[in-house]
Amino acid sequence: MEYRIVFHPRAEAELEQLYDDIAERASPVVAWNFVTGIRDHCLALRLFHSAAQSGSKSCLGLLVIGAPSALLLRSTSNEC
């Protein structure tokens, strides 16, 4: 089953701030590649349960994964 991925406005703001910080310290290309990688990883979770099978923990509608750092995501499903 595919899920729709929606970025919370605070997450969008944090990604924009992260881009600005990296662009200033490294370069816009490095910042773009890094932030795009995070977005792509999140968007790949549209196949929620297949991602959860790779050692992640899912319960009460939450999925916790670790890449590149821990992410906590909410699902519309309450399956454990």
Side-chain angles (χ1 to χ4, degrees):
M1 174 176 219
E2 272 196 37
Y3 293 85
R4 186 172 71 108
I5 303 297
V6 178
F7 289 90
H8 189 278
R10 272 192 343 208
E12 289 283 0
E14 288 180 9
L15 287 172
E16 288 175 17
Q17 184 62 53
L18 182 61
Y19 173 87
D20 291 343
D21 292 345
I22 294 172
E24 183 179 315
R25 290 175 175 82
S27 75
V29 172
V30 171
W32 178 261
N33 289 338
F34 189 80
V35 171
T36 300
I38 292 171
R39 284 181 175 279
D40 290 347
H41 185 79
C42 291
L43 293 171
L45 293 173
R46 69 185 181 280
L47 303 174
F48 191 80
H49 291 290
S50 63
Q53 293 173 359
S54 64
S56 302
K57 296 179 182 176
S58 177
C59 189
L60 300 176
L62 297 176
L63 172 69
V64 179
I65 59 170
S69 63
L71 296 172
L72 178 65
L73 305 166
R74 182 180 181 278
S75 168
T76 57
S77 169
N78 286 329
E79 298 174 12
C80 285

